[in-house]
Amino acid sequence: MAEHNSWNVNKPVRPGRSPRLPSKQRNQRMGRIFLVTVLSLGSLVMIVPFLWMLITSFDWGARLNIPFPPRLFPRQFSIRTYEVAFLNIDMLKYILNSIIVAVGVIIVSLLSALLSGYALSKIRFRGAGVVLVVALSTMMIPFEMTMIPQYLLFDKLRLLDSYWAFYLPALNYAFGTFLAKQFIDQLPNTLREAAIIDGAREGTVFWRVYFPLCTPIVATIIILQFLGVWNDLLWPLLVLSDAGKYTIQLGLAMFTYNQGLNRMPAIIMAATTVSLLPVLVLYLFLQRYIVESIALSGIKQ
Amino acid sequence: MSANVNAMSGRKQIRKRRWTRNDRIGFLFATPMLLGIISFSIYPIAAALFMSFQQTNGIMGHWVGLHNYSIVLSDSVFWRSLSNTMFMGVLSVVSGIVVSFVLASLINSLPWTFGRNFFKSVYFLPNVVSAVATSILFSFLFYPGEEGLLNFLLGQIGLGPVGWFTDPTFSRFSIVLMSMWGALGYNTIIFLAALQSVPRDLYEAAEVDGANGIRKWRYITIPYLRPVFLFMVVMGTIGGMKRFTDVWLIGGTAGNPDGTLLTSVLYIYRTAFIGHQMGLATAASYLLFIVILILTVLILRTNRRHDID
């Protein structure tokens, strides 16, 4: 179509150039304007829920009912909504709890993933192939299938309501093993051989030679596990019953669940904003790494 | 010493020798992971199978064979939850893939790197937001009265307020819309990575043959990305079958309104942790797993048939 138009419409032709070019350029520009408009409208749909959350969270007038009609600025701007949110929901404690759980889970899963990834890639011990296949096939099992026996296991061990119920299952991180193995495969074997000839022990080789080279994959695992722990609800819901030990999502969910959804908009929006803040700040600074890590986790699976 | 013996007695002897120092150390390094996998994947999956054949109303259970399975299979609520889950799953997989593929194609055709990265990070943003926060946000955006933002916008064009999460006819569609908002960016990122992997010379060859943008998209891009579509369908189906957090927060354990938001995992959850019938719940979880497996195999097989064509 575009080609036809350029022949029909008589346009001034610049010397030495194809007669199609000006019209083609105009079409291209129109196309780009259209493209940017569509993408911007779509972005608005992505962003508006956040904006509305932020606006409502600062609106003391919205503490009981959603303001009508919706407005761009709070009717009664106030940070009292946040004070009330912190008074009613023990946000600081929940955030601290989530951080404690996340740090523990990250350390345990890094240890498990890097050590096993290194062993599978560089030590190549007898049975390494079998171990890898077993690890990869357990990745197919959905958590929802194993959650009931896992819950009963922690019940038997009397570890319900403790963070061991998070730290111990972090050992089971086959995907991390897979990522680490893939990454360490790219590092040269000669580093290990040379170090061993010099009399270094395997632990030293791992810790002093290979671990410092693993920074990118360590960062990926930290990002994925932090987001996973921070955003998870189902497992905390099963194992934590003491309100003092709630993670941030569980605390927020329990508050809204008990109050009933749609009650106290401004207060709940304030609490939700606080719960999102760490993740949004992290995203702001590390968005390239986060996007890459998550895309990686999708592609490799 | 042993090395000498081995060297003299040849290959067979070496094969018989079990553990070198290297093997022991390697195994030691893999031990934390193996312990984790055995205790939190292999043991639970076996225990779940065992429990699904037992009646476990109290602490002690006794063997009842396939009784739990027949109870679950004859429970209309189980079938209802399965059909709800599949309805929402299929709808969100199809709509999510179509929208995110178009979106990725649009972003990919932007000529500026900055623009591409900007839109990429904007569309991806909801992906880092938890299901809890998303549900809370949307319960207000989709507020049933005219105060809700979406209903307000509908009101501007003269449409009455819709009970997004409270009307049984709309509730499942609303959940699909909400999860699309959250998951769109993830699919878009993967499609973008895939779009950049399409070899340039294919497009150049098509241009020589006189193909325009849309035709290149239809006859080169889409066929080339078939494995990616397949990956998305499989992952989306598996993910969709595990829906829990949002429907639990919005519909409660009953899956309100009118049981339309009762999903399979919610069914398992309430059977196990509210009804305390672990046997029934594990049987239901095995049935769900079988459904997921069948769906995955079906998807992969239909694709293979396409390949032969």
Side-chain angles (χ1 to χ4, degrees):
Chain A
M1 286 292 280
E3 315 279 317
H4 281 291
N5 279 340
S6 65
W7 288 112
N8 294 336
V9 180
N10 274 322
K11 280 246 136 199
V13 178
R14 274 184 234 164
R17 289 221 177 160
S18 151
R20 284 187 194 182
L21 208 57
S23 163
K24 207 175 183 181
Q25 262 177 349
R26 204 187 50 188
N27 271 340
Q28 201 177 27
R29 187 185 292 167
M30 288 303 287
R32 281 177 188 175
I33 290 172
F34 174 75
L35 203 64
V36 172
T37 316
V38 169
L39 287 174
S40 305
L41 284 176
S43 306
L44 215 59
V45 174
M46 293 288 124
I47 298 298
V48 159
F50 293 110
L51 285 181
W52 203 52
M53 170 184 80
L54 213 61
I55 295 163
T56 316
S57 79
F58 282 109
D59 193 348
W60 184 244
R63 67 191 178 281
L64 292 174
N65 292 305
I66 301 173
F68 185 82
R71 46 188 79 228
L72 273 178
F73 293 100
R75 194 175 355 177
Q76 288 173 259
F77 180 86
S78 165
I79 55 162
R80 263 199 293 173
T81 49
Y82 282 83
E83 284 168 20
V84 174
F86 275 92
L87 267 177
N88 280 289
I89 314 171
D90 206 347
M91 298 292 285
L92 282 179
K93 180 151 213 173
Y94 299 156
I95 288 176
L96 190 70
N97 288 345
S98 274
I99 291 174
I100 293 172
V101 173
V103 169
V105 166
I106 286 170
I107 292 173
V108 173
S109 52
L110 271 180
L111 185 93
S112 156
L114 286 177
L115 282 177
S116 56
Y118 172 76
L120 291 173
S121 169
K122 289 288 176 274
I123 305 182
R124 280 195 242 105
F125 56 100
R126 190 174 292 235
V130 179
V131 169
L132 186 66
V133 169
V134 170
L136 291 183
S137 41
T138 57
M139 270 168 54
M140 315 272 186
I141 303 170
F143 164 74
E144 287 74 8
M145 274 214 74
T146 59
M147 67 182 182
I148 296 169
Q150 284 199 59
Y151 167 84
L152 295 173
L153 178 69
F154 282 103
D155 188 29
K156 235 178 266 169
L157 295 171
R158 305 206 164 280
L159 288 177
L160 286 182
D161 243 339
S162 85
Y163 294 150
W164 288 107
F166 295 86
Y167 304 148
L168 291 179
L171 286 173
N172 177 20
Y173 189 39
F175 180 59
T177 300
F178 174 67
L179 283 182
K181 185 201 172 282
Q182 290 261 306
F183 187 83
I184 297 171
D185 274 345
Q186 298 170 340
L187 303 174
N189 290 335
T190 42
L191 293 175
R192 170 170 178 263
E193 284 152 17
I196 296 234
I197 288 167
D198 288 347
R201 293 166 57 185
E202 200 71 61
T204 322
V205 179
F206 167 74
W207 183 246
R208 303 289 282 277
V209 181
Y210 284 94
F211 183 74
L213 296 172
C214 287
T215 330
I217 211 68
V218 169
T220 302
I221 291 177
I222 290 178
I223 289 171
L224 289 176
Q225 291 287 73
F226 177 79
L227 286 176
V229 171
W230 190 270
N231 289 340
D232 187 28
L233 178 78
L234 184 48
W235 186 238
L237 177 69
L238 298 188
V239 296
L240 299 177
S241 46
D242 173 7
K245 293 191 171 124
Y246 280 0
T247 58
I248 179 72
Q249 302 302 329
L250 187 57
L252 191 60
M254 279 314 200
F255 183 75
T256 49
Y257 198 80
N258 294 333
Q259 291 291 318
L261 273 174
N262 296 333
R263 305 288 293 279
M264 301 192 288
I267 314 297
I268 287 193
M269 289 297 181
T272 310
T273 308
V274 173
S275 85
L276 281 182
L277 220 55
V279 175
L280 291 184
V281 168
L282 202 72
Y283 186 70
L284 207 64
F285 288 106
L286 296 175
Q287 51 104 350
R288 229 188 67 216
Y289 297 98
I290 292 178
V291 171
E292 270 168 22
S293 301
I294 294 179
L296 180 82
S297 75
I299 290 163
K300 294 229 164 136
Q301 267 174 9
Chain B
M1 194 178 75
S2 67
N4 259 338
V5 174
N6 282 328
M8 297 221 285
S9 51
R11 265 196 184 166
K12 271 194 177 170
Q13 202 64 36
I14 293 173
R15 247 187 225 163
K16 265 189 186 171
R17 196 190 55 179
R18 280 280 158 80
W19 291 96
T20 62
R21 214 180 101 79
N22 200 43
D23 292 338
R24 276 203 309 273
I25 291 174
F27 209 76
L28 193 71
F29 270 56
T31 302
M33 191 248 324
L34 284 171
L35 277 179
I37 283 183
I38 291 165
S39 335
F40 304 110
S41 263
I42 296 173
Y43 160 75
I45 203 90
L49 188 65
F50 184 69
M51 281 169 61
S52 72
F53 294 120
Q54 286 199 316
Q55 191 180 23
T56 50
N57 258 333
I59 305 158
M60 291 294 287
H62 61 275
W63 195 262
V64 289
L66 289 169
H67 190 55
N68 286 330
Y69 287 92
S70 68
I71 290 180
V72 172
L73 285 174
S74 57
D75 183 0
S76 65
V77 181
F78 172 77
W79 290 106
R80 183 112 198 259
S81 72
L82 194 63
S83 84
N84 284 336
T85 315
M86 285 178 63
F87 180 81
M88 289 188 272
V90 169
L91 207 60
S92 54
V93 165
V94 172
S95 56
I97 288 178
V98 170
V99 174
S100 59
F101 179 62
V102 172
L103 197 64
S105 304
L106 290 180
I107 293 177
N108 196 44
S109 57
L110 278 176
W112 318 281
T113 317
F114 171 78
R116 280 200 299 269
N117 287 336
F118 173 78
F119 284 118
K120 214 157 98 173
S121 36
V122 168
Y123 283 103
F124 192 76
L125 181 61
N127 205 270
V128 295
V129 175
S130 69
V132 173
T134 308
S135 309
I136 292 174
L137 268 177
F138 275 76
S139 72
F140 286 105
L141 286 174
F142 285 0
Y143 190 75
E146 57 182 359
E147 304 97 304
L149 196 58
L150 200 57
N151 278 339
F152 173 77
L153 293 177
L154 281 184
Q156 299 300 100
I157 54 169
L159 293 173
V162 173
W164 296 100
F165 285 139
T166 50
D167 185 336
T169 35
F170 292 110
S171 53
R172 288 176 295 183
F173 293 98
S174 310
I175 291 278
V176 169
L177 273 182
M178 178 178 83
S179 59
M180 220 166 101
W181 178 81
L184 203 59
Y186 175 77
N187 290 351
T188 307
I189 295 291
I190 294 188
F191 273 132
L192 269 171
L195 283 173
Q196 271 142 26
S197 75
V198 181
R200 292 233 159 263
D201 44 341
L202 285 182
Y203 290 124
E204 280 156 16
E207 273 162 36
V208 171
D209 292 345
N212 62 15
I214 299 283
R215 282 178 153 260
K216 279 188 280 182
W217 193 61
R218 168 67 188 83
Y219 291 105
I220 297 174
T221 316
I222 293 178
Y224 197 84
L225 294 191
R226 173 170 287 156
V228 184
F229 282 108
L230 190 67
F231 165 81
M232 301 278 217
V233 172
V234 172
M235 295 308 286
T237 309
I238 294 174
M241 296 305 286
K242 302 196 285 187
R243 185 181 297 282
F244 171 78
T245 303
D246 42 13
V247 287
W248 175 74
L249 258 175
I250 288 164
T253 30
N256 284 326
D258 196 26
T260 47
L261 295 187
L262 179 65
T263 62
S264 296
V265 176
L266 192 55
Y267 178 88
I268 295 168
Y269 169 79
R270 68 181 208 180
T271 311
F273 297 101
I274 294 168
H276 298 289
Q277 290 174 302
M278 299 299 183
L280 288 180
T282 45
S285 72
Y286 257 93
L287 290 171
L288 176 66
F289 187 49
I290 291 168
V291 171
I292 293 178
L293 275 184
I294 290 174
L295 286 177
T296 313
V297 170
L298 274 181
I299 294 164
L300 294 174
R301 281 199 48 183
T302 46
N303 187 65
R304 203 187 300 152
R305 208 167 293 151
H306 272 292
D307 273 352
I308 295 167
D309 284 344

